Amino acid sequence: AGESPFLHDFALQQVPKVAAKTLLIDGQDSPTLFGYINARLSKLMPNAKRVTIPKASHWVHLDQTTAFNDYLVKFLEDKKA
């Protein structure tokens, strides 16, 4: 308990250097750890966007295919960095 879920904290220190536009998707019903990781990454990555899709588990793309695809297409079509 109280340990970082990031296996390699040194890698976590590199995350703020990721300049690429990044979409982080998790399901509302995913294990808590996945939501925690995406929340942390979205705060550290300067160009990250986080989306939590309702009524979806870790298999978001299967549980809520249409919502997943809609967010992905919108993200890919967005020309902003």
Side-chain angles (χ1 to χ4, degrees):
E3 292 182 32
S4 173
F6 295 96
L7 183 58
H8 303 288
D9 280 332
F10 72 89
L12 183 62
Q13 294 170 3
Q14 300 300 316
V15 171
K17 296 178 183 178
V18 176
K21 191 171 99 169
T22 305
L23 179 61
L24 302 167
I25 300 177
D26 53 74
Q28 182 180 25
D29 300 326
S30 290
T32 304
L33 178 61
F34 296 112
Y36 172 81
I37 291 170
N38 273 355
R40 184 91 183 266
L41 290 174
S42 69
K43 290 178 184 175
L44 293 172
M45 297 173 79
N47 294 308
K49 175 178 176 61
R50 180 181 178 206
V51 174
T52 300
I53 298 180
K55 299 179 183 175
S57 69
H58 183 61
W59 297 92
V60 183
H61 60 293
L62 297 176
D63 295 338
Q64 295 294 334
T65 305
T66 300
F68 178 89
N69 288 339
D70 289 347
Y71 281 112
L72 182 59
V73 168
K74 182 178 177 181
F75 176 79
L76 294 172
E77 289 177 341
D78 185 5
K79 301 299 183 206
K80 297 177 186 174

